[in-house]
Amino acid sequence: QVQLVESGGGLVQAGGSLRLSCAASGIIFSYNIMGWYRQAPGKQRELVATIVSGGRTNYADSVKGRFTISRDNAKNTVYLQMNNLKPEDTAVYYCNARRPALSSDHWGQGTQVTVSS
């Protein structure tokens, strides 16, 4: 059974920082592209950042220079360090594990991030 468990969300003032974690089980972690997505009220889910096993990363333009995605393959965990948070970063953040070769795609339950102005 695949499980992706996010933690680290919360309420923070604009300009503050949060670090999200996502612990994965039930998958061969190192074979998966890990990602963070977010969904704000009334909006579609959007990509925040992805990271492949070798460490290559991809970011949405809106978070470049402020957010950093990283992974620890030994701990089956992916992180999202969020700095200089803005009110528009307010959303539910979801962890994603994708393995294109097997057409597998798994999601966590989400963690709320709220940035007050």
Side-chain angles (χ1 to χ4, degrees):
Q1 181 182 0
V2 178
Q3 280 194 313
L4 301 176
V5 180
E6 300 105 333
S7 60
L11 173 64
V12 64
Q13 287 189 331
S17 298
L18 284 174
R19 188 192 194 206
L20 305 183
S21 300
C22 171
S25 60
I27 60 173
I28 304 175
F29 185 79
S30 61
Y31 288 6
N32 281 262
I33 301 169
M34 300 301 298
W36 288 97
Y37 292 74
R38 68 187 181 186
Q39 188 167 17
K43 295 187 176 181
Q44 289 188 331
R45 191 173 298 189
E46 64 176 4
L47 168 73
V48 175
T50 60
I51 184 168
V52 300
S53 184
R56 188 177 75 249
T57 58
N58 179 54
Y59 294 94
D61 287 343
S62 59
V63 306
K64 283 181 180 176
R66 300 188 298 122
F67 291 10
T68 303
I69 189 171
S70 61
R71 64 190 291 162
D72 186 335
N73 288 339
K75 295 183 178 180
N76 288 1
T77 301
V78 61
Y79 305 96
L80 186 68
Q81 178 67 44
M82 305 185 293
N83 297 328
N84 190 22
L85 282 159
K86 303 177 181 180
E88 52 263 43
D89 295 318
T90 295
V92 178
Y93 284 69
Y94 296 91
C95 178
N96 174 260
R98 186 164 55 89
R99 188 174 172 184
L102 299 182
S103 299
S104 68
D105 192 11
H106 303 287
W107 295 90
Q109 82 286 355
T111 185
Q112 176 71 46
V113 171
T114 302
V115 184
S116 63
S117 57

